[in-house]
C-alpha cells in the first residue's frame, strides 16, 4: 500500500508562516530601519555572517560598532541607575 497525493496537493505546498519567516524586505522602511538598531541585531548579523561566510568587512565593522554602542549604553545605565547595596 502506497500513499499517493493528488496533483492539487502536490502543486500547493503547505507552509505555515512563523515570526522567523518575516524578513526586513517585508517590513515597512521605517520599521526595518528601527529593527536594525535593536541590541540583538548586530549579534545575529555577526553569527549569521560567520556561519555563512558572506559578511563583508564593512558590514562586520558596522555590526561591531552597533554592538559596542549598546554595550556602552548598558554600562552607563547600570552604573547610573542600579544601586548595589548589601543586604542586611
Amino acid at each position: 500500500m502506497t500513499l499517493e497525493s493528488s496533483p492539487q496537493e502536490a502543486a500547493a505546498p503547505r507552509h505555515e508562516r512563523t515570526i522567523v519567516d518575516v524578513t526586513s524586505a517585508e517590513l515597512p522602511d521605517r520599521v526595518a530601519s528601527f529593527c536594525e538598531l535593536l541590541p540583538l541585531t548586530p549579534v545575529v548579523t555577526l553569527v549569521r555572517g560567520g556561519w555563512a561566510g558572506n559578511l563583508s568587512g564593512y558590514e562586520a565593522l558596522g555590526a561591531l560598532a552597533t554592538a559596542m554602542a549598546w554595550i556602552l549604553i548598558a554600562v552607563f545605565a547600570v552604573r547610573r541607575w542600579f544601586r548595589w547595596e548589601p543586604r542586611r
Side-chain angles (χ1 to χ4, degrees), residues 17-74:
R17 288 185 59 95
T18 62
I19 192 71
V20 177
D21 293 334
V22 177
T23 62
S24 61
E26 296 175 3
L27 295 174
D29 290 339
R30 289 186 181 192
V31 175
S33 296
F34 174 75
C35 289
E36 289 176 0
L37 297 175
L38 292 175
L40 201 55
T41 302
V43 174
V44 172
T45 301
L46 291 170
V47 168
R48 186 181 297 151
W51 185 267
N54 59 359
L55 192 65
S56 71
Y58 178 75
E59 292 171 331
L61 287 176
L64 285 172
T66 305
M68 287 305 297
W70 275 109
I71 290 170
L72 291 174
I73 290 169

Side-chain angles (χ1 to χ4, degrees), residues 1-18:
M1 181 174 171
T2 61
L3 295 175
E4 296 180 25
S5 60
S6 69
Q8 292 84 12
E9 290 176 355
R14 292 183 181 175
H15 180 67
E16 296 178 15
R17 288 185 59 95
T18 62

